[in-house]
Amino acid sequence: MMSLLIAPGAWAADAKKDAYLDAVVAPADAKAMEARVDPAMRKAIAEALAAEVPAQSLPRAAPVFGSASSDIMTAAFNEAKVPDCLHSEGLKRQPTFFLGGFLALPFIPIAKLRGKCI
């Protein structure tokens, strides 16, 4: 049982470190590198960084993942869904004029042919 707890620690010690990513530069070496950089290049980089415009986020009226926008999207998807012809919303996109109930039954095949319901 104890060997199971010790084993992950042993594997972590054996993990190889990346010489490039895990390198730590000493402050003395950083000063030495700064001395080698051309002053004109340093000035050009500083000007380019100063002139760079920071990215700005677009203004939004409502939060992207808020409940209000979620409710709006849910309502939009429910409205866009093509209804089944034989259910209650089958004729919601097919005008039946003033007829309703059993008098609207002839409009069901017309809605099916026009693609207003499935």
Side-chain angles (χ1 to χ4, degrees), residues 11-115:
W11 290 332
D14 292 340
K16 293 184 179 181
K17 293 185 177 183
D18 188 358
Y20 182 73
L21 295 176
D22 296 332
V24 178
V25 179
D29 292 338
K31 290 287 186 184
M33 283 190 246
E34 285 180 8
R36 293 182 184 171
V37 177
D38 186 25
M41 181 66 72
R42 186 178 304 156
K43 182 180 176 188
I45 291 172
E47 288 174 359
L49 289 175
E52 187 174 313
V53 178
Q56 296 178 355
S57 63
L58 298 175
R60 297 187 189 276
V64 177
F65 296 111
S67 63
S69 62
S70 173
D71 294 341
I72 292 170
M73 288 299 290
T74 301
F77 276 112
N78 289 340
E79 180 62 30
K81 185 173 66 172
V82 178
D84 187 11
C85 291
L86 300 178
H87 285 86
S88 62
E89 295 184 341
L91 295 175
K92 76 177 185 181
R93 291 192 176 95
Q94 172 66 37
T96 58
F97 306 106
F98 58 89
L99 303 174
F102 289 116
L103 296 176
L105 286 176
F107 290 98
I108 293 175
I110 295 170
K112 178 73 173 172
L113 290 172
R114 293 179 64 200

